[in-house]
Amino acid sequence: MPVPAAGASARRAPRGGTVGVLADRAGMWTAAAAVTALAVGLAGLVMPHAPAGQMRAWSWNVSGVGPAAVPVPDTTLTLGQDLVRGSAATAFEYTAESVPAGTAMRFTLAVIRDLDGEVWEPLAQPGPSSADTLLAPVGDATLTAGGAVVTAGVTSDDVIAGTADLTRIRIRIRELSSPRLPLPQATVLVAAEEGRDASEDGGLTPSHWAWVPGTSTVVARGDNAATGSTFTALGWNAVAGADGNPQVLPPYTAAAADPGALAAYTDTPRGIGTIAATAQEVVEAAGLADAAPTARAAALAAWFHGGDFTYDEDAPGGFDANSETTPVETVNSFLAERQGYCVHYAAAFTLMARSLGLPTRIAVGYASRAEDPTTPTAVSGRDLHAWPEVWFDGLGWVAFEPTPGGAGQRADTGADPQPTPTATATASASARAVATATTLASGEATPEPGTGRAAGSGLRLGRLTLWAVGAVAGALLLAGPALARGVRRRRRIARIRAGDRPAAAAWDELYDTATDLGAWGPAQQARRPGAGAPTAAPGGADAAGPRARTHEALAEHLAATEGLGAAAGRAIVELAQAAVAEAFGDRERDAARSTASAAGDAGDASAAADGSRPDPGRLLRTARAGLALSASRSRRLRARLLPDSLWRRR
């Protein structure tokens, strides 16, 4: 592994000296505590009074609240937050008389095929065919449920008349405004509600909706579906069982897939070397490396449920335009941290399955568990979900559930396990405590008859208030270190993006990450360049720690960490070179470029082939993911909650 030239390793002392560093730390802690207290208080006061209202089902790259003209809660969906915090209002309800109670259902809004960009966007271009027609099994349509039905000789008249072997699901739109209809996972045709004219209130005209080519999803050609709209979807749900085969076999054999159309679902983006290696390890450990595609896909799904992963709704996303990381970087970090929610699991499964040659896509929609066949089942924004679907010859697209929690878990098992508590979740719990304390303090308790005083208001108010204050204080103590570390990280990321000594900022962040993960040893960490001699680093490649206090020696020490990975090792060395080149000019920078070119890696973290400077931000993300992957799970948890870099002396 290449290392920087000897001597090119000194580092300028921090600006402002020790006093400046201490002031910076104090400012971060004060700001973090103030922001946390304010956020907790506002959440407790505001959230209980938030109005219910109409939901917007999906707008891919819009985050947070909707347009100012919409004075109601908005569930515009990104793959960052809305998948875990959807509105409790009913989006739609459905009745399926032939579906037994307890059946796991998936209602798809859209699918994601292309995974090679900075943002993963759904297929959205409408095709020429309307939703009330069957798709002929040609080209992309060979990958649809409609193509399977036509291959079997079934006509549209057969479907409408009810002579085809299909499930009829009556859907009624409630508090939902969307240019996409929620449809059963394998829908072949959409029909107007029987006995209801489309011009009547609540009518829906299927010809005003168009199939998205290659999918069983539709988009509006005109207005969105209005509240109260009803329609019938005909098709089936193919949800995988433990062996990878559908729990209920599709009634029709899938059409022979068009090779060109199917190839798009096996394409993989750059930077998934570690992801692919992990996938291969999973199937080999299960003894299924050469097994049938269904068995290999089932092994991947089972692996996520094996106990090493936790369902965490506070994990950061990275799949939309508002994210600080690319989707592939987010998946790499997720596989290292092993904490996330549905989109993390669906994205990781999809990349891993594609690396094994399995055509896979991501579906986004709703997961539901059917109730009594004669009773409408309500589906809310809380049921928004993302899941992977794998194509199998003869079966078509089959939905898998790698997520060990959330809407998918509720739909498949009926259980609703609570997400793993984190610092953020603890702060949210404290918000509820503040709301309780505020209500009691305002005197809004039930008065005793004839007294005008709240029953037991004196002692009970004091105890509950003390409990609430204690809960808030405890939450601040738990969340404070993580928040302070996050503030420092965001400041450095801002410096990297702004061009204010980006390599130095990235190196500082990498150094602190190594400190948090114990890469310098459990006792006293190695000093930064210019701060004294390094100390022992038990567990590293060299038990005596880094051989010197230079960038070169520190990078060499980290790059030799067991289990780090080649791409992360190269990123660490290149980041050290970039920091040195940034501080000392063209000679070192040219050496760094030539060394990076000699490495010959056009993948995860190298400098561009045209000789341009390497991207410190990308190098940092690759290096951090590798360091996290090499650390134990307990050490990663400690790094999140009690980061050593906050109090370790530099």
Side-chain angles (χ1 to χ4, degrees):
M1 181 176 298
V3 295
S9 54
R11 178 182 180 274
R12 191 172 63 181
R15 296 177 184 176
T18 303
V19 175
V21 172
L22 293 176
D24 182 60
R25 288 184 175 180
M28 285 191 297
W29 278 98
T30 302
V35 170
T36 301
L38 179 61
V40 168
L42 289 177
L45 291 170
V46 175
M47 289 304 293
H49 307 289
Q54 188 180 51
M55 297 187 299
R56 295 193 171 199
W58 201 16
S59 177
W60 186 256
N61 284 327
V62 180
S63 178
V65 297
V70 183
V72 292
D74 187 41
T75 56
T76 50
L77 177 63
T78 69
L79 289 186
Q81 295 182 352
D82 296 318
L83 280 171
V84 296
R85 294 179 176 86
S87 169
T90 299
F92 66 95
E93 59 186 20
Y94 66 92
T95 305
E97 296 182 0
S98 62
V99 175
T103 300
M105 306 282 283
R106 298 293 186 274
F107 291 86
T108 311
L109 290 169
V111 297
I112 304 162
R113 178 191 65 190
D114 303 321
L115 311 181
D116 56 352
E118 296 292 307
V119 176
W120 290 358
E121 296 184 304
L123 297 174
Q125 187 65 34
S129 301
S130 59
D132 58 354
T133 61
L134 292 177
L135 296 172
V138 178
D140 286 344
T142 60
L143 305 181
T144 66
V149 170
V150 172
T151 300
V154 178
T155 66
S156 295
D157 291 339
D158 296 330
V159 173
I160 298 297
T163 59
D165 187 12
L166 298 170
T167 300
R168 302 177 70 90
I169 300 181
R170 181 181 182 272
I171 298 175
R172 181 173 183 266
I173 300 297
R174 293 283 298 275
E175 302 299 327
L176 176 66
S177 177
S178 171
R180 301 172 181 271
L181 292 180
L183 297 178
Q185 181 248 352
T187 297
V188 304
L189 186 143
V190 178
E193 179 65 12
E194 187 175 355
R196 184 190 295 268
D197 187 88
S199 62
E200 298 178 8
D201 182 35
L204 183 141
T205 305
S207 61
H208 293 174
W209 299 78
W211 293 113
V212 176
T215 77
S216 292
T217 65
V218 298
V219 293
R221 286 173 165 166
D223 295 334
N224 296 348
T227 297
S229 297
T230 58
F231 58 93
T232 299
L234 299 104
W236 62 84
N237 265 261
V239 179
D243 62 354
N245 289 293
Q247 298 175 24
V248 178
L249 288 176
Y252 297 98
T253 300
D258 181 273
L262 196 60
Y265 294 93
T266 57
D267 287 344
T268 56
R270 297 173 57 184
I272 69 161
T274 300
I275 299 171
T278 302
Q280 191 62 34
E281 291 173 3
V282 170
V283 295
E284 288 179 354
L288 299 172
D290 299 319
T294 51
R296 285 184 286 154
L300 290 181
W303 180 65
F304 288 105
H305 290 267
D308 289 340
F309 288 86
T310 56
Y311 180 71
D312 182 359
E313 294 182 350
D314 291 299
F319 303 88
D320 55 70
N322 302 303
S323 174
E324 294 180 352
T325 61
T326 67
V328 172
E329 290 164 349
T330 297
V331 171
N332 274 303
S333 296
F334 162 69
L335 290 178
E337 298 288 340
R338 303 201 171 186
Q339 292 177 311
Y341 51 93
C342 60
V343 65
H344 297 86
Y345 290 93
F349 180 103
T350 299
L351 291 177
M352 293 171 73
R354 287 193 179 191
S355 74
L356 297 176
L358 303 176
T360 311
R361 66 189 186 186
I362 299 173
V364 178
Y366 298 87
S368 174
R369 190 172 180 84
E371 298 178 359
D372 187 317
T374 62
T375 303
T377 299
V379 180
S380 73
R382 186 169 173 262
D383 299 315
L384 282 167
H385 189 47
W387 65 89
E389 294 182 347
V390 184
W391 174 271
F392 301 120
D393 292 339
L395 296 175
W397 294 106
V398 178
F400 281 78
E401 191 48 75
T403 307
Q409 181 95 339
R410 293 195 300 270
D412 291 353
T413 67
D416 190 8
Q418 295 300 312
T420 300
T422 62
T424 306
T426 306
S428 298
S430 299
R432 292 191 292 272
V434 171
T436 302
T438 303
T439 301
L440 290 171
S442 67
E444 296 178 359
T446 303
E448 292 181 353
T451 66
R453 292 185 296 109
S457 60
L459 180 60
R460 184 164 55 192
L461 174 59
R463 287 178 177 176
L464 288 176
T465 302
L466 287 175
W467 177 87
V469 171
V472 172
L476 290 175
L477 287 175
L478 289 174
L483 290 171
R485 180 71 175 90
V487 169
R488 177 182 290 177
R489 182 181 299 112
R490 284 191 291 274
R491 286 182 176 179
R492 287 170 176 163
I493 290 174
R495 284 177 56 198
I496 294 172
R497 292 178 172 176
D500 180 17
R501 297 181 60 80
W507 176 258
D508 286 348
E509 179 58 30
L510 175 62
Y511 188 93
D512 279 358
T513 298
T515 300
D516 295 338
L517 293 171
W520 308 121
Q524 183 181 6
Q525 64 178 348
R527 299 292 182 83
R528 295 190 181 211
T535 57
D542 182 357
R547 58 181 172 79
R549 61 177 184 267
T550 63
H551 285 79
E552 173 193 10
L554 295 174
E556 181 184 69
H557 176 77
L558 289 180
T561 301
E562 183 178 356
L564 179 69
R570 285 191 292 271
I572 291 171
V573 172
E574 290 180 24
L575 187 54
Q577 294 171 335
V580 170
E582 183 178 85
F584 294 99
D586 294 337
R587 181 174 60 83
E588 287 82 0
R589 182 164 60 246
D590 292 341
R593 289 175 179 171
S594 62
T595 304
S597 300
D601 176 31
D604 297 328
S606 295
D610 61 359
S612 61
R613 295 185 181 183
D615 178 3
R618 185 172 294 276
L619 294 175
L620 173 62
R621 290 189 290 269
T622 302
R624 289 183 65 224
L627 285 173
L629 191 62
S630 67
S632 66
R633 184 177 178 183
S634 61
R635 187 70 211 196
R636 293 196 298 268
L637 179 61
R638 175 178 169 179
R640 286 186 70 179
L641 300 179
L642 296 171
D644 287 349
S645 59
L646 290 179
W647 43 75
R648 292 278 191 183
R649 188 161 57 92
R650 298 184 183 183

